[in-house]
């Protein structure tokens, strides 16, 4: 499998917008740090209906928006959120950054710079009440396992002979797991953690199974659109400060998500 195909597969497995950076950030003039400070705004691309990642709800904006605000504050500017809807034509998007981007050289096509990684992620193993396992290899062959359609996790688990059930949306998959229609899910840790945070009575639990799966784990970074070195350094400094003072952990914690440093 090529690096590009692997990156696309990881994006699907993660259930978030990760591997379409060249399309999301069309060619345009550079957005250096000086220009951002001059206009007083740093812009973020985000989905208006994708909790826990992002939302247009003022009281529950999602951790991507909250992290974006914290970064903008460190740079001394305000955050502008530009909402991305899947049907939106990519050439209409014009923002400075996208969070939760896989930190992979194969994804660096076009005028994109990636910051230092700030979160460790991958494909977690979510389990229904009463079922115990630590790794995907611990699952019995007849276990009903939800997977994202056409994802690396889907391919990997099918090759192991597991009984996979394809889904287009992680939220639907986790909801079916809670109903008992599935035994397990290959899912992003943020999605299942958010569900458990909202529904502690569900009995769902999960493990970071990707820790032992080289193809199913990755680090996340901020993708900057046509930035200069000064903007990259400023965002890297801000990320380090937010991690060191506990701000990142607090933001993630509000959504039931664990900060796992790369």
């Amino acid at each position: 499998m090529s690096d590009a195909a692997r990156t696309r597969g990881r994006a699907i497995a993660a259930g978030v917008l990760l591997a379409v950076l060249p399309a999301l950030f069309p060619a345009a003039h550079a957005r250096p740090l000086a220009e951002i400070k001059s206009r007083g705004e740093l812009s973020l691309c985000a989905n208006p209906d994708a909790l826990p990642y992002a939302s247009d709800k003022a009281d529950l904006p999602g951790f991507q928006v909250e992290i974006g605000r914290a970064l903008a504050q460190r740079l001394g500017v305000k955050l502008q959120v530009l909402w991305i809807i899947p049907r939106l034509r990519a050439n209409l998007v014009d923002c400075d950054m996208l969070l939760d981007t896989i930190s992979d050289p194969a994804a660096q096509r076009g005028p994109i710079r990636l910051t230092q990684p700030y979160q460790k992620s991958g494909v977690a193993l979510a389990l229904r009440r009463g079922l115990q396992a630590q790794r995907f290899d611990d699952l019995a062959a007849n276990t009903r396992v939800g997977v994202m359609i056409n994802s690396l996790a889907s391919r990997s688990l099918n090759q192991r002979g597991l009984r996979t059930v394809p889904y287009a949306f992680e939220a639907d998959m986790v909801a079916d797991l809670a109903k008992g229609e599935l035994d397990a899910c290959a899912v992003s840790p943020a999605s299942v953690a958010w569900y458990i945070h909202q529904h502690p009575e569900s009995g769902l639990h999960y493990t970071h199974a990707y820790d032992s799966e080289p193809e199913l784990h990755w680090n996340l970074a901020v993708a900057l659109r046509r930035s200069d070195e000064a903007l990259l350094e400023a965002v890297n400094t801000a990320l380090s400060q937010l991690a060191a003072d506990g701000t990142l952990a607090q933001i993630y914690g509000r959504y039931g998500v664990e900060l796992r440093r790369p």
Side-chain angles (χ1 to χ4, degrees), residues 79-98:
L79 180 72
Q80 177 191 29
V81 181
L82 301 179
W83 300 117
I84 295 177
I85 302 173
R87 293 186 299 275
L88 185 67
R89 294 206 316 270
N91 62 1
L92 296 180
V93 178
D94 182 22
C95 59
D96 300 317
M97 65 180 180
L98 178 71

Side-chain angles (χ1 to χ4, degrees), residues 6 10 42 56 60 84 93 95 126 143 165 177-178 194 201 203 224 238 240-241 245 255 261:
R6 183 174 292 106
R10 285 175 173 174
L42 177 69
D56 58 6
L60 202 63
I84 295 177
V93 178
C95 59
T143 305
V165 182
L177 180 65
W194 170 241
E201 77 290 345
L224 297 172
S240 295
Q241 293 171 342
D245 68 11
Y255 300 87
R261 298 289 298 277

Side-chain angles (χ1 to χ4, degrees), residues 22-258:
L24 284 178
F25 297 114
H29 64 84
R31 196 94 73 187
L33 178 62
E35 180 181 335
I36 286 171
K37 285 187 171 291
S38 175
R39 69 177 183 168
E41 283 186 338
L42 177 69
S43 59
L44 168 72
C45 286
N47 190 315
D49 187 24
L51 284 172
Y53 303 97
S55 159
D56 58 6
K57 300 178 177 66
D59 60 336
L60 202 63
F63 59 74
Q64 288 181 349
V65 175
E66 291 200 39
I67 292 172
R69 287 173 180 168
L71 289 173
Q73 184 178 35
R74 295 282 175 165
L75 269 58
V77 297
K78 295 181 180 179
L79 180 72
Q80 177 191 29
V81 181
L82 301 179
W83 300 117
I84 295 177
I85 302 173
R87 293 186 299 275
L88 185 67
R89 294 206 316 270
N91 62 1
L92 296 180
V93 178
D94 182 22
C95 59
D96 300 317
M97 65 180 180
L98 178 71
L99 271 69
D100 287 356
T101 303
I102 291 176
S103 183
D104 186 336
Q108 296 188 54
R109 306 186 305 275
I112 300 299
R113 291 178 187 239
L114 295 177
T115 67
Q116 64 190 28
Y118 57 87
Q119 173 71 305
K120 182 179 179 181
S121 191
V123 181
L125 171 59
L127 301 157
R128 62 167 171 76
R129 186 193 302 271
L131 184 62
Q132 299 297 324
Q134 291 298 315
R135 304 175 305 161
F136 293 111
D137 287 342
D138 295 334
L139 300 175
N142 63 346
T143 305
R144 299 165 299 175
V145 187
V147 294
M148 291 297 290
I149 191 168
N150 294 329
S151 66
L152 280 176
S154 173
R155 188 194 65 168
S156 176
L157 299 186
N158 281 328
Q159 289 174 344
R160 301 179 206 193
L162 291 172
R163 182 183 169 190
T164 61
V165 182
Y167 282 82
F169 300 101
E170 286 196 329
D172 294 340
M173 184 165 62
V174 177
D176 282 353
L177 180 65
K179 294 174 187 175
E181 296 177 8
L182 297 171
D183 299 308
C185 288
V187 64
S188 64
S191 293
V192 65
W194 170 241
Y195 188 91
I196 293 171
H197 182 70
Q198 288 187 300
H199 307 281
E201 77 290 345
S202 67
L204 299 188
H205 56 112
Y206 71 99
T207 69
H208 296 286
Y210 53 86
D211 283 342
S212 61
E213 300 276 353
E215 277 203 332
L216 301 181
H217 80 254
W218 46 80
N219 293 327
L220 301 179
V222 179
L224 297 172
R225 168 187 171 271
R226 298 184 64 88
S227 70
D228 60 356
E229 191 65 27
L231 178 58
L232 180 64
E233 290 181 3
V235 176
N236 274 333
T237 297
L239 282 171
S240 295
Q241 293 171 342
L242 295 174
D245 68 11
T247 299
L248 282 182
Q250 291 172 6
I251 290 174
Y252 279 118
R254 283 196 279 276
Y255 300 87
V257 179
E258 177 187 359

